[in-house]
């Protein structure tokens, strides 16, 4: 293990400032170190903003410290292409950085391998793979999409103490998760480029599926996706009437429209739209992260297909009225190859995180 671990940890921490805000770019952090001390820091803050390395160099300038001969610790391989910003390799060379330690390589085909190699060719010492697993995890959706051209799928489910997700269908839908765990749902939404529900959830709950109370910066809000093969989405529902975010209906044939501008219909001519096809379609649109919010049928279909990468299950201590409501069985997560990675109690609700077991990862 290199002594630089502590510096890479700081770079990971800085990268967190870009959470929710930089997608479809990855979160990236960078520190410049001289004589064992951090002299400048930077991160990629929002889409279209400076890259982490460039912000760290600007920070050094603002503090009046020299960058010549420093070591840069950066969570992602520096880019070597002209995108929204000039290449970070050039900025690092211009700043006279002597050594660059990289967390993980950039799988983006337009930059792959070039950054590290370009620096080496100019005589910069390059270290690779420091805290690689942590860096990869932080950039999970970006990495997943670059490799599979599909979004990373997170399933979010909440049940009462008996495993029911809703009470009697004749009664109005009840809220049963605590305010605090509902706030965490907003974090999950902010962390997603798309949010998907089945049409039954739209009919039952009329959800807005917008991000509230969490800053997502200048990036676009998550698109709202409804699996609705038979055109059952009610015309007056929020997803069709409020234009706060785009809405995408997946339908089995062309039902025409008359929809407002924020609504789009995609025809996938199957009664049971295959989950893999949905993910391919979203991947083609550049969607890197998908939150599957419900309900029971939709969760079941994603789990049966083995295409859920992570899940968050919230079990509340409350018992819903009526015995006939639909259930969500947590063993369906096990059966789909997921395992518990953490568990905590949030205002009385038990919140468990699940992750695809490494052997089951695609
Ligand atoms: C870096 N440092 O901080 C980030 C990098 O469109 P652009 O110009 O913002 O470039 C986006 C791509 O650059 C992105 O897809 C990823 O490959 C890389 N991100 N690279 O050197 C950074 N955020
Ligand atoms: Zn860059």
């Amino acid at each position: 293990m290199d002594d630089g671990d502590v510096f890479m940890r700081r770079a990971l921490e800085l990268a967190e400032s870009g959470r929710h805000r930089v997608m479809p770019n990855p979160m990236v952090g960078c520190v410049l170190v001289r004589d064992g001390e951090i002299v400048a820091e930077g991160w990629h803050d929002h889409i279209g903003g400076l890259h982490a390395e460039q912000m760290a160099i600007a920070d050094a300038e603002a503090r009046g410290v020299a960058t010549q001969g420093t070591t840069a610790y950066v969570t992602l391989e520096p880019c070597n292409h002209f995108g929204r910003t000039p290449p970070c390799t050039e900025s690092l060379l211009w700043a006279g950085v002597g050594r660059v330690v990289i967390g993980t390589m950039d799988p983006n085909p337009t930059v792959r391998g070039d950054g590290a190699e370009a620096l080496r060719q100019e005589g910069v010492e390059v270290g690779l793979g420091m805290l690689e697993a942590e860096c990869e995890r932080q950039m999970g959706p970006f990495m997943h999409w670059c490799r599979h051209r599909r979004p990373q799928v997170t399933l979010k489910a909440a049940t009462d103490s008996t495993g029911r997700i809703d009470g009697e269908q004749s009664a109005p839908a009840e809220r049963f998760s605590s305010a605090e765990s509902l706030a965490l749902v907003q974090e999950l939404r902010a962390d997603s480029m798309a949010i998907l529900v089945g049409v039954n959830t739209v009919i039952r709950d009329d959800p807005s599926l917008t991000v509230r109370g969490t800053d997502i910066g200048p990036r676009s809000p998550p698109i709202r996706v409804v699996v609705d093969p038979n055109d059952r989405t009610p015309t007056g529902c929020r997803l069709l009437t409020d234009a706060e975010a785009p809405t995408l209906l997946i339908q089995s044939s062309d039902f025409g429209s008359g929809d407002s501008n924020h609504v789009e219909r995609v025809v996938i001519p199957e009664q049971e739209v295959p989950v893999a096809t949905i993910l391919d379609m979203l991947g083609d649109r550049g969607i890197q992260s998908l939150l599957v919010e419900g309900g029971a049928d939709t969760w079941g279909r994603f789990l049966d297909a083995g295409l859920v990468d992570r899940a968050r299950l919230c079990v509340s201590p409350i018992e819903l009225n009526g015995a006939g409501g639909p259930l969500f069985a947590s063993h369906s997560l096990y059966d789909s190859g997921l395992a518990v990675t953490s568990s905590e109690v949030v205002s009385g609700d038990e919140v468990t995180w699940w992750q695809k077991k490494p052997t089951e990862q695609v």
Side-chain angles (χ1 to χ4, degrees), residues 308-329:
V308 175
D309 300 297
R310 318 185 301 163
R312 177 183 177 278
L313 179 61
C314 177
V315 179
S316 109
I318 292 165
E319 197 170 325
L320 286 169
N321 292 324
L327 289 159
F328 179 74

Side-chain angles (χ1 to χ4, degrees), residues 24-28 43-44 47-53 74 76-79 81-85 88 106 108 110-111 142:
N25 279 351
M27 289 181 254
V28 181
W43 65 89
H44 188 38
I47 187 79
L50 291 180
H51 281 188
E53 301 89 320
V74 53
L76 181 70
E77 176 186 28
C79 67
H81 73 308
F82 283 89
R84 293 184 184 91
T85 66
C88 287
D106 191 340
N108 185 342
T110 60
V111 300
F142 171 76

